[in-house]
Amino acid sequence: MKNRIALSAALSVALASSAFSQEIVLGAGYSDYSRHGAEDGVILSMEYIHRPFYEGRVFSAQLAGAIELVETGDAFLGGGVRGKWDLQQDWFIEASVLPGAYIEGTALNDLGSTFEIRSQLAVGKRFKSGKALSLALSHKSNASTADINPGVNALTLRWHIPLD
């Protein structure tokens, strides 16, 4: 299972590098599972943000994909839409919704189904180099499509690397 996740991550990086893209976002933080007895842990994430399919004066919308790995062996792979609002002095707010597949590493970290949706809200600052730093709060749940829906929250510090 871990070999498949590593292979998926490597493939995602390779595809992101060859595609016309906007940025890669690397994150590290902590996951907090809502289910009693679940194992919380350190989370590492990598996101690929494509060029905007909509770009207005202060708002842009992009397709996005993410892979997240937790030290307990839990993994998430999803894709969806991200919106970004540009604020003054190079600050920004972003929100994303990424449906995807979740695999628990331990039985108590079961979120109810393989299908899970990650929603995320972040605030960040872009630097003159084009790189950015953001702090994100995310939540994964199955939107009550399964018998149980305990959910998991994560707080991550993220480094945005432009590819253009």
Side-chain angles (χ1 to χ4, degrees):
M1 175 58 68
K2 289 184 182 183
N3 289 338
R4 278 192 239 170
I5 293 168
L7 181 60
S8 295
L11 183 60
S12 297
V13 170
L15 290 174
S17 299
S18 64
F20 294 103
S21 62
Q22 184 179 8
E23 65 187 15
I24 294 288
V25 183
L26 304 174
Y30 194 75
S31 275
D32 179 28
Y33 289 81
S34 301
R35 190 175 191 178
H36 179 70
E39 293 181 48
D40 300 337
V42 172
I43 184 170
L44 299 175
S45 66
M46 183 183 74
E47 296 181 43
Y48 164 71
I49 312 297
H50 197 271
R51 289 187 188 276
F53 61 82
Y54 171 81
E55 201 161 11
R57 192 172 59 79
V58 296
F59 176 77
S60 61
Q62 299 95 350
L63 295 177
I67 184 165
E68 298 178 340
L69 305 171
V70 181
E71 69 176 312
T72 55
D74 310 316
F76 174 79
L77 180 64
V81 180
R82 171 209 191 218
K84 183 175 72 104
W85 292 264
D86 291 318
L87 305 174
Q88 295 179 2
Q89 300 175 348
D90 294 321
W91 285 90
F92 62 90
I93 294 173
E94 68 176 76
S96 63
V97 177
L98 306 179
Y102 171 82
I103 300 163
E104 68 274 0
T106 179
L108 286 174
N109 287 5
D110 181 8
L111 296 180
S113 71
T114 302
F115 172 74
E116 298 290 328
I117 301 169
R118 189 202 76 180
S119 53
Q120 182 169 269
L121 184 62
V123 62
K125 169 81 169 161
R126 188 151 311 272
F127 304 108
K128 291 183 197 251
S129 66
K131 295 182 170 108
L133 188 66
S134 67
L135 185 64
L137 179 61
S138 66
H139 176 76
K140 277 190 278 307
S141 82
N142 59 48
S144 296
T145 59
D147 293 336
I148 65 167
N149 185 24
V152 59
N153 300 311
L155 183 65
T156 54
L157 186 61
R158 302 160 65 227
W159 184 244
H160 301 243
I161 304 163
L163 297 177
D164 298 349

